[in-house]
Amino acid sequence: MKHIVFRNETISAVGMGTTGFWSGSNPGLCDCIRTAYDTYGMNLFDTAEMYGNGRCETALGKTLEGLPRDRLFLVDKIHPDHAEPASFARSLDYSLIRLNTDYIDLYLLHWRENVDLPFLVDAMHEAQRQGKIRHWGVSNFTIEDMKDLFAAGGTDCFCDQIFYTLYERGAEYDLVPFLKEHDILPMSYSSLGSNYYSHPDVHNNRTIMNACREYGIAPEAYMLSMNVAAGFAALFTTSSLSHLQDNLAEVSDETCAALKPVFDREFPAPDHAVPLVKI
Ligand SMILES: NC(=O)c1ccc[n+]([C@@H]2O[C@H](COP(=O)([O-])OP(=O)(O)OC[C@H]3O[C@@H](n4cnc5c(N)ncnc54)[C@H](OP(=O)(O)O)[C@@H]3O)[C@@H](O)[C@H]2O)c1
């Protein structure tokens, strides 16, 4: 698996989310995460206090139990309602307890809502000083949101985690270049299009399926590689070991280059700015 070296951090270019733990235990997802770590060298795992009211954090903590902590890169997110003076520190402490860890590698504001950005930046910096988080960032922030964040003193923001997939490529027109220019890591969530978003399934597209068959890969493997090639750390999830194997299959640069025109024709990138989709 490819790894990204970003601000001295080595992060697997593809990582896994945890929404499959929403209702609690999910042995399939548990197996997939452990296999992704053991067999593929994945170290990037994403969760949020909102997911299943903390159940996903707890399940991720249990799944990773016993692994060397310094080899993992854990991403967690605070709900905007808790990003205020009375609850920020408590929320973070509860997340640490549920994850069963002393620190979070990357702590994100889940989405902007009406959060007081100067407060957020100060609170993130304080949590860093206390050693409870190593880096901080945001999720679902547009360029305008990012500019407001910079104005609030948040120029050291590490990452903007956004929806970016074959079906929603708007960010590559303007947001991704903006993030790269400001040394902020773009991280894509729902990189396979998600179940919670209505889109034309690639599996129903004969042109794409024939091209993928010719090169012996699943469309999901191309989708993840496309996001990585666009500069993202790409998150997805699966509870199926056979899907995991398909998705993480090596896609050579040559295969990616050969398939790109086919995918681009079927799912063109926008040639103008489009609003950022949030799911
Ligand atoms: N920051 C945010 O606001 C935000 C929002 C949404 C999500 N996220 C994060 O991103 C993570 C991933 O997003 P997501 O779960 O929405 O979407 P996703 O990873 O795009 O899609 C997951 C779905 O794809 C299916 N799938 C995976 N591989 C497949 C394959 N080879 N063939 C057919 N189906 C396949 C999975 O089913 P199977 O289990 O059957 O494989 C699952 O239902 C989340 O878990 C979460 O951590 C963040």
Side-chain angles (χ1 to χ4, degrees):
M1 167 166 312
K2 284 185 182 155
H3 283 74
I4 295 168
V5 179
F6 183 77
R7 298 199 205 166
N8 290 330
E9 297 291 345
T10 303
I11 308 166
S12 54
V14 174
M16 284 186 68
T18 52
T19 38
F21 288 131
W22 204 284
S23 321
S25 105
N26 177 341
L29 178 54
C30 201
D31 281 355
C32 284
I33 288 177
R34 285 300 290 234
T35 305
Y37 175 86
D38 290 334
T39 309
Y40 295 91
M42 183 185 286
N43 69 351
L44 170 64
F45 300 103
D46 176 82
T47 191
E49 61 168 351
M50 187 194 84
Y51 298 164
N53 279 326
R55 278 190 291 272
C56 298
E57 292 175 319
T58 303
L60 180 62
K62 287 206 176 97
T63 302
L64 300 175
E65 211 166 78
L67 297 182
R69 179 63 187 86
D70 60 353
R71 296 194 45 199
L72 300 169
F73 194 87
L74 300 186
V75 183
D76 204 348
K77 309 183 207 80
I78 185 166
H79 191 289
D81 285 355
H82 298 160
E84 50 94 30
S87 28
F88 186 98
R90 194 178 50 209
S91 266
L92 172 55
D93 285 346
Y94 280 134
S95 286
L96 290 169
I97 291 167
R98 286 190 294 261
L99 272 171
N100 191 23
T101 186
D102 294 333
Y103 64 90
I104 289 163
D105 297 281
L106 176 58
Y107 196 45
L108 307 177
L109 173 66
H110 206 149
W111 65 93
R112 179 171 178 175
E113 217 162 90
N114 298 317
V115 169
D116 174 354
L117 294 179
F119 164 76
L120 176 82
V121 172
D122 285 350
M124 291 290 193
H125 288 163
E126 179 56 25
Q128 274 180 315
R129 270 192 294 275
Q130 293 177 4
K132 294 180 179 179
I133 66 174
R134 297 183 56 243
H135 305 281
W136 69 274
V138 292
S139 179
N140 296 302
F141 266 43
T142 62
I143 291 181
E144 292 313 314
D145 294 329
M146 290 307 305
K147 287 180 180 164
D148 291 345
L149 185 67
F150 292 166
T155 48
D156 58 327
C157 171
F158 187 91
C159 165
D160 188 10
Q161 187 186 111
I162 57 170
F163 183 37
Y164 175 82
T165 179
L166 201 56
Y167 318 109
E168 275 303 333
R169 300 175 58 180
E172 75 187 53
Y173 183 77
D174 48 7
L175 180 55
V176 173
F178 179 90
L179 295 175
K180 286 183 183 167
E181 186 191 330
H182 292 89
D183 193 31
I184 293 168
L185 177 70
M187 185 177 288
S188 59
Y189 67 71
S190 304
S191 307
L192 305 179
S194 187
N195 283 341
Y196 309 106
Y197 179 71
S198 148
H199 55 71
D201 191 339
V202 281
H203 291 265
N204 297 324
N205 183 312
R206 204 178 300 166
T207 308
I208 283 196
M209 291 314 285
N210 284 341
C212 286
R213 221 166 280 128
E214 189 183 329
Y215 285 90
I217 64 159
E220 286 78 8
Y222 173 83
M223 290 166 85
L224 292 172
S225 299
M226 175 191 94
N227 285 23
V228 172
F232 285 88
L235 298 173
F236 76 101
T237 192
T238 182
S239 301
S240 148
L241 280 174
S242 89
H243 285 171
L244 183 80
Q245 200 177 348
D246 286 347
N247 300 356
L248 298 183
E250 188 86 28
V251 183
S252 68
D253 292 346
E254 293 72 30
T255 299
C256 233
L259 286 174
K260 188 166 171 33
V262 182
F263 275 83
D264 281 351
R265 235 180 355 257
E266 300 298 311
F267 296 99
D271 58 3
H272 57 279
V274 293
L276 181 66
V277 175
K278 302 158 194 177
I279 60 173

